[in-house]
Amino acid sequence: MHQGWPPLLAAIAAMLALRGLGMALAWRLPPGHPAITWATAVSEAALAAWVVLALLSPGPWPIPARLAGVAAALIAFFATGQRLLPGMAAGLAAIWLAGQLLG
Amino acid sequence: MHPAFRLGAWEALGAHTIAMAATFIAFGAAVRASGFGLGWGLASSAGVYGMAGQMVLLGAHPGAGTAAVAGAIMANARFLPMAAALAPLVRGRLAPLCVPFVAITPWAAAMRRLPGLAPPERAPWFLGFALAAWTTGLLTTAFGYGIAGQLSPTVLRLLLMANVLYFALMVTAGLARGGPWRASLAGAAAAPLALLLPAGTPPAWGILGAALIGGTAAFLLRRR
């Protein structure tokens, strides 16, 4: 067996436990329960934090290129009536272009 | 087949799939570059099914296995509150089947779509969407593994940005229509705190900390 398999199998079991535990903890709670509201807020905050850190942390593209990309994506997104694909295409094009300009 | 299942699977195709596919293609290529086999990559996409943790596990080389597992758990710890938030929406006999598919793409789509569906349609919709997205993840992992070496580094780096842009737009769309704006803004505002962590701290800790601080602040502000 390749050395990477035991850690992978352990991680898969842990992921299932995280998901199952979350579902089990909330199983009997009504949708408006404070614990559910808190969990939803933390999850939504995690998504936004992940996006911000993906834009601001050291990464595969210079930070100005990533910011230019997200700006272009937002402009195209709203200019096309909140359509995701044109937004993503404009964003990727802007990242590539800014990356070229920034060397 | 339940009509809501078909609807969910159909709605998974589009920007969701393209963003996910781009990320999983890059992951497949990275699996090969890291010296792992296709089976390992597919098992990771199928079972871990959370890109942050999957990327951490690429470091699971001899001597680093325990650290990689701990890092993957930290990176994907958000699955716990995500599953708790989803539970009331998919409650019923199909709920246990939803557990393995709690991941950022299906979860984000479900939290925006499920409240508008009748309760009996929610779990089938989620399963249809999630299975389509999960299958896409597996197919594109294999595709990325197969074409690794033929992609230029620039294309690989661009593929990694597709998901970032996708979720940036999803969060913005939620803000624009008055969705969970407090939590999104608080999470975004708390995120830079992660940059203050000591060098060498896994980035996942920063995301988790920002989520707990921002999410709890949003929750408390909502309660006042």
Side-chain angles (χ1 to χ4, degrees):
Chain A
M1 179 182 275
H2 190 286
Q3 293 281 358
W5 277 98
L8 175 61
L9 295 175
I12 289 172
M15 296 305 132
L16 198 57
L18 281 173
R19 291 166 166 134
L21 184 62
M23 193 75 84
L25 287 173
W27 188 249
R28 291 187 177 279
L29 301 178
H33 191 279
I36 300 291
T37 310
W38 176 80
T40 305
V42 168
S43 303
E44 293 286 356
L47 185 58
W50 179 81
V51 169
V52 170
L53 289 173
L55 293 172
L56 298 182
S57 303
W61 293 92
I63 291 173
R66 282 179 268 165
L67 294 177
V70 81
L74 289 171
I75 290 168
F77 178 67
F78 284 110
T80 57
Q82 300 196 18
R83 291 177 61 210
L84 288 165
L85 286 178
M88 285 170 57
L92 290 174
I95 290 172
W96 178 80
L97 190 61
Q100 297 293 312
L101 292 173
L102 293 168
Chain B
M1 189 186 295
H2 196 291
F5 180 93
R6 271 203 307 273
L7 181 65
W10 175 249
E11 289 183 18
L13 305 176
H16 309 282
T17 306
I18 290 172
M20 244 192 74
T23 312
F24 278 77
I25 289 171
F27 173 72
V31 167
R32 190 161 191 170
S34 300
F36 293 111
L38 176 60
W40 190 94
L42 289 173
S44 179
S45 289
V48 177
Y49 193 38
M51 192 49 68
Q54 288 175 241
M55 295 303 283
V56 172
L57 282 166
L58 286 176
H61 288 292
T66 306
V69 174
I73 292 171
M74 281 186 270
N76 285 348
R78 63 181 180 277
F79 287 162
L80 196 154
M82 284 165 62
L86 183 70
L89 293 170
V90 296
R91 191 168 288 149
R93 63 186 175 80
L94 292 176
L97 298 178
C98 299
V99 169
F101 303 115
V102 176
I104 199 159
T105 299
W107 180 86
M111 294 304 287
R112 285 150 183 77
R113 186 73 170 90
L114 293 187
L117 293 177
E121 295 180 344
R122 290 173 181 168
W125 184 95
F126 181 78
L127 285 171
F129 187 102
L131 269 172
W134 184 79
T135 305
T136 299
L138 293 185
L139 291 174
T140 48
T141 297
F143 181 69
Y145 188 91
I147 62 169
Q150 297 173 42
L151 291 174
S152 74
T154 303
V155 172
L156 274 175
R157 290 188 298 142
L158 271 178
L159 289 174
L160 288 172
M161 290 305 297
N163 231 17
V164 178
L165 292 175
Y166 168 73
F167 283 112
L169 294 176
M170 285 280 279
V171 170
T172 306
L175 292 174
R177 64 161 193 276
W181 61 271
R182 278 192 189 87
S184 297
L185 287 181
L193 294 175
L195 301 175
L196 303 176
L197 292 173
T201 307
W205 278 113
I207 295 173
L208 196 58
L212 287 169
I213 293 169
T216 303
F219 170 75
L220 293 174
L221 285 171
R222 179 196 170 106
R223 303 270 300 164
R224 294 182 71 167

